[in-house]
Amino acid sequence: MPARTWLAGVAAIAGLLTFAVPARANPMWAAIQDGNARKGRAGMRAIWATLAAAIVFFSTPAAAGLWLGQQTFGGDALLNRYNPTTGLYEDGVALTTTFGGAPADPLKASAYNGFAFAPDGSLWLAQQTFGGDALLNRYNPTTGLYEGGIALTTTFGGAPADPLKASAYNGFAFAPDGSLWLGQQTFGGDALLNRYNPTTGLYEGGIALTTTFGGAPADPLKASAYSGFAFAPDGSLWLGQQTFGGDALLNRYNLTTGLYEDGIALTTTFGGAPADPLKASAYNGFAFAPSFNPAAPVPEPSVWLIMIAGFGLAGTALRARRTGVAHA
């Protein structure tokens, strides 16, 4: 269970125990029972504040998690959750292949070309057929199985044409509205992000990326000058880039102004603390998940049980308070 859920559980249980303690040991409960208006109202406000805080923790999705595609020393694929505030890695998902409808060997990091999370929390991997055609496969981290796929195509004359080759695009991402975007380029090598409709197989819109100079958009950004992109849950666009020394940077790009507004310098860790800068060559794509745990994007059953119990006890307290006031 994520740490966020534990914190919310502690808050909710604390509120529930306030009601459970006998009146002799709990002045707040006694004030409610005896109809002491001032103390009763103050007590109820405190209780409701506690329960409301727990409900907010439970019902609101956790803040977006940043995930990096990395690998073990043996070359097996890992997706690691990275905390930009602490510079530490907090969680990981080991990817596998499947055989006969069950998880099989570890997936090699060289066997996929980027990953992304859809708005519903599902995890997608960019892979390819034996003939090199591009595929986006939905992967279930809980079962280790592939549950669906999208075969990408080119277009000609306003209709889908040949399969898109895996080497013909530079990353993919899902926007918060669910639209699918592919990183591609012009004949001159300039970077383009194209919106692709998996239903029709057509490209419906594009974004031409630029560099900046003197606080204004400048030359077109070359497709070779970034390594993957992602949309955060707030809709902001981030590009994977690097310093002149090869250190990894994630830069936020403003689609309206064409300017870079923020950045995240990635690091390695050693002894439970941030260490050297992470090299851009040391990770295989990045993505923002809509929740901390991609395998459980919705509240767990135990969470709902605590919430329901909290509402029940709060309702009982209110009824007892009204009864006390009426008898007074």
Side-chain angles (χ1 to χ4, degrees):
M1 184 181 294
R4 184 185 181 89
T5 302
W6 283 111
L7 290 173
V10 171
I13 292 172
L16 302 183
L17 288 178
T18 304
F19 287 114
V21 176
R24 291 188 302 274
N26 191 337
M28 188 182 300
W29 173 264
I32 295 171
Q33 289 275 32
D34 296 340
N36 186 317
R38 182 175 61 81
K39 292 182 179 180
R41 281 195 297 269
M44 286 307 299
R45 281 196 295 268
I47 296 303
W48 280 113
T50 302
L51 290 177
I55 292 169
V56 168
F57 269 104
F58 283 139
S59 60
T60 304
L66 172 59
W67 291 75
L68 304 179
Q70 297 182 298
Q71 64 183 55
T72 66
F73 290 108
D76 299 337
L78 286 174
L79 302 184
N80 289 319
R81 186 176 60 194
Y82 179 82
N83 187 323
T85 303
T86 64
L88 301 180
Y89 297 83
E90 298 178 340
D91 204 353
V93 176
L95 304 178
T96 62
T97 60
T98 60
F99 182 79
D105 297 327
L107 180 71
K108 293 298 181 182
S110 58
Y112 80 101
N113 181 32
F115 66 100
F117 293 100
D120 63 1
S122 58
L123 171 62
W124 291 76
L125 304 179
Q127 296 180 298
Q128 63 183 59
T129 66
F130 290 107
D133 299 336
L135 283 174
L136 302 182
N137 289 319
R138 185 173 60 194
Y139 179 82
N140 188 321
T142 303
T143 63
L145 300 180
Y146 297 82
E147 299 179 338
I150 298 172
L152 304 177
T153 62
T154 61
T155 60
F156 182 79
D162 298 326
L164 182 71
K165 293 299 181 181
S167 58
Y169 75 103
N170 180 21
F172 74 103
F174 293 96
D177 63 2
S179 58
L180 172 61
W181 292 76
L182 304 179
Q184 296 182 300
Q185 63 184 57
T186 65
F187 290 108
D190 298 338
L192 285 174
L193 301 184
N194 289 320
R195 185 172 60 193
Y196 180 82
N197 189 321
T199 303
T200 64
L202 301 179
Y203 297 84
E204 300 178 339
I207 299 170
L209 303 177
T210 62
T211 60
T212 60
F213 181 79
D219 297 326
L221 181 71
K222 293 298 181 182
S224 58
Y226 79 100
S227 57
F229 67 100
F231 291 98
D234 63 1
S236 59
L237 172 63
W238 292 75
L239 303 179
Q241 297 182 299
Q242 63 184 56
T243 66
F244 290 108
D247 299 337
L249 284 174
L250 303 183
N251 288 319
R252 185 171 60 188
Y253 180 84
N254 188 315
L255 297 172
T256 304
T257 64
L259 301 179
Y260 297 83
E261 298 180 338
D262 203 354
I264 299 173
L266 304 177
T267 62
T268 60
T269 61
F270 182 79
D276 297 327
L278 181 71
K279 293 298 180 182
S281 58
Y283 77 102
N284 181 20
F286 70 100
F288 295 94
S291 66
F292 275 133
N293 185 356
V298 297
E300 302 171 10
S302 60
V303 170
W304 291 111
L305 181 60
I306 294 176
M307 286 174 59
I308 292 170
F311 278 123
L313 286 177
T316 301
L318 284 175
R319 184 172 181 179
R321 177 187 173 192
R322 293 193 191 100
T323 303
V325 172
H327 288 168

